[in-house]
Amino acid sequence: MSCTINPLVKKIELSPIRELSDAALKYCDAVNLTVGQPDFTTPEHIKLYAKKAIDNNHTSYTSNSGIFNLREAASNFINKKYNLSYNADKEIIVTNGATEAIDISLRTILEKNDEVLLPAPIYVGYEPVITFCGAKPVYMDTSSNNFVLNAEIIKRHLTEKTKCLILCYPCNPTGSIMDKNALAEIAKLLKDKDIFIISDEIYSELTFNNTHYSIANFKDMRDKVILLNGVSKSHSMTGWRIGFIFAPEYLTSQIFKLHQYGTTCSCSISQYAALEALTNGFNDSEYMKKEYIKRRDFIYEELISMGLTVVKPEGAFYIFPSIKKFNVSSLDFSIKLLEKEHLAVVPGSAFSPLGEGYIRISYAASMNELKRGMEKLRHFINSL
């Protein structure tokens, strides 16, 4: 009966990130620099609070939107951190990670034949949802601008079918960020257009040398923006699966329907853990960020010394060197690197066709692992 399966689902391909990560498991000495998984453990005070929540029997369903205290904490957190104002009662939904937030936000706004603008290279999780909605992903090449989107690039891709723009800064896979001036130009371009903006800011707390600024800060933009965030990267809580949607009520009231029927609510214990993270763990990301900067600098200098062309990341924990000079596809390069040197990275082609010619390296790993990884990469490059 496979012929009766929804053809839009059959069209979706599995994530190459997980495929390479899983392939590395068969090598006992492999260095795995694929998945965006912080190597820091969840802070102890968060784990203790979660244990206390279990002891206090907070193990039942919560409000569909999430426990109010958590929504209030999320509202306070982004207000103090980024000067953003969202009502805890009507404008915030607690989701099962930012992944669910992406899914239900896109499915709420998209219709068949809509076009979605994506700055590329870009995270793999958007395109499958767009395709499933019957909409069309429109990739915008940012490589000539150090992987940073600007208003001029957007302008070249706008059509009557444009329904949504996706922003994801700090960026996975490039580590690039957007400053206030670039966002202001985009806001000026789009303020009078009926185009939604999904701003995925999951790495906002891992902005290195600048203050993170959101497109939602512009008053002409707030009613168009669906802002996504969570505690996975900021507090090393990937497995707890807590994300947030911040949006005006006319949007959250509709997005809520998909969340309610799709998942009921996020895990109660995880919600209490996130509450602790956003209150008593207000600056938990600082010590992690300092370490990521050290690792970023080490990886960057190593890649430069190997003769690779690479843009120095300003956020997240990824770096995206070019391998174009080797005249081999990024997938073949990554497979051979794993087979010969037991080093796992992600082919750039995983991040849209415009990622071809690059590889993504995650430096969310210990310095010892990164040193081993760079030795393996250097040996492999010298053999080409």
Side-chain angles (χ1 to χ4, degrees):
M1 294 180 64
S2 63
C3 62
T4 64
I5 294 174
N6 187 332
L8 291 177
V9 175
K10 294 173 74 172
K11 188 177 180 180
I12 294 171
E13 297 183 359
L14 295 176
S15 169
I17 299 174
R18 292 292 178 177
E19 288 185 9
L20 267 295
S21 180
D22 291 345
L25 295 176
K26 65 182 179 181
Y27 302 105
C28 61
D29 63 338
V31 175
N32 191 339
L33 304 180
T34 58
V35 180
Q37 167 64 56
D39 66 312
F40 301 100
T41 59
T42 301
E44 286 300 315
H45 70 99
I46 296 174
K47 292 189 288 186
L48 288 172
Y49 199 83
K51 293 173 185 176
K52 186 181 295 185
I54 295 173
D55 291 338
N56 291 334
N57 296 314
H58 294 309
T59 54
S60 58
Y61 292 129
T62 71
S63 164
N64 294 130
S65 293
I67 58 177
F68 181 77
N69 286 351
L70 174 55
R71 284 179 279 144
E72 192 171 47
S75 176
N76 291 335
F77 187 89
I78 65 167
N79 181 258
K80 291 178 181 178
K81 289 278 188 176
Y82 314 123
N83 197 31
L84 293 163
S85 180
Y86 286 92
N87 181 279
D89 189 35
K90 300 291 185 180
E91 297 185 316
I92 301 175
I93 301 173
V94 182
T95 60
N96 284 288
T99 304
E100 188 209 352
I102 291 168
D103 176 44
I104 59 179
S105 296
L106 283 169
R107 287 197 290 131
T108 296
I109 64 175
L110 292 183
E111 300 176 82
K112 187 176 181 181
N113 297 323
D114 284 341
E115 292 181 354
V116 180
L117 303 184
L118 302 103
I122 192 169
Y123 171 61
V124 301
Y126 310 112
E127 189 275 338
V129 184
I130 295 167
T131 299
F132 186 73
C133 291
K136 176 185 177 183
V138 177
Y139 293 111
M140 303 176 291
D141 190 353
T142 62
S143 61
S144 63
N145 195 43
N146 288 336
F147 301 117
V148 179
L149 185 64
N150 59 34
E152 187 58 37
I153 295 173
I154 294 173
K155 192 173 181 180
R156 294 199 297 264
H157 292 84
L158 288 173
T159 72
E160 292 181 355
K161 294 183 178 180
T162 304
K163 185 68 164 292
C164 176
L165 164 69
I166 290 181
L167 298 178
C168 50
Y169 294 94
C171 178
N172 174 7
T174 66
S176 59
I177 64 171
M178 290 197 73
D179 63 27
K180 184 176 179 180
N181 291 334
L183 288 170
E185 289 299 313
I186 294 174
K188 182 179 178 180
L189 173 66
L190 299 181
K191 68 177 183 178
D192 296 323
K193 294 179 170 57
D194 292 331
I195 296 174
F196 291 108
I197 299 171
I198 292 180
S199 188
D200 185 347
E201 303 180 22
I202 191 67
Y203 294 97
S204 60
E205 283 294 276
L206 300 181
T207 301
F208 297 150
N209 300 312
N210 295 275
T211 300
H212 176 75
Y213 201 83
S214 173
I215 189 79
N217 283 112
F218 298 92
K219 67 176 183 178
D220 294 325
M221 290 290 104
R222 190 185 186 280
D223 282 350
K224 303 171 184 286
V225 173
I226 302 171
L227 190 157
L228 313 181
N229 214 316
V231 294
S232 290
K233 315 299 183 178
S234 60
H235 292 79
S236 193
M237 294 177 66
T238 55
W240 299 83
R241 308 311 302 134
I242 294 294
F244 301 100
I245 292 174
F246 303 88
E249 184 181 355
Y250 84 93
L251 279 167
T252 55
S253 63
Q254 302 306 312
I255 297 171
F256 174 80
K257 297 174 184 177
L258 295 179
H259 171 70
Q260 181 185 60
Y261 290 115
T263 191
T264 304
C265 65
S266 298
C267 169
S268 60
I269 303 306
S270 293
Q271 289 190 57
Y272 280 96
L275 173 61
E276 172 69 8
L278 297 183
T279 50
N280 295 319
F282 193 75
N283 291 313
D284 276 353
S285 64
E286 288 302 313
Y287 80 98
M288 291 185 272
K289 184 162 66 173
K290 290 177 182 178
E291 186 62 29
Y292 287 139
I293 291 173
K294 292 179 186 177
R295 299 174 187 182
R296 184 272 312 265
D297 291 345
F298 168 73
I299 293 285
Y300 177 77
E301 294 299 331
E302 285 290 301
L303 295 175
I304 292 295
S305 73
M306 295 179 206
L308 297 179
T309 301
V310 61
V311 176
K312 193 172 187 177
E314 293 295 333
F317 38 63
Y318 308 107
I319 194 165
F320 205 61
S322 172
I323 56 164
K324 292 180 180 179
K325 69 178 185 178
F326 301 116
N327 295 314
V328 61
S329 75
S330 59
L331 180 59
D332 286 344
F333 183 98
S334 301
I335 291 174
K336 290 176 182 177
L337 177 60
L338 178 59
E339 291 176 345
K340 292 185 177 182
E341 297 293 336
H342 301 173
L343 171 60
V345 299
V346 183
S349 57
F351 306 99
S352 86
L354 293 173
E356 183 54 74
Y358 300 85
I359 57 172
R360 190 193 78 173
I361 298 171
S362 169
Y363 49 90
S366 70
M367 188 62 80
N368 285 339
E369 284 296 278
L370 294 179
K371 288 178 179 178
R372 288 182 60 219
M374 291 303 98
E375 290 174 1
K376 290 174 179 291
L377 182 59
R378 187 184 298 276
H379 189 265
F380 179 72
I381 287 175
N382 289 340
S383 72
L384 295 177

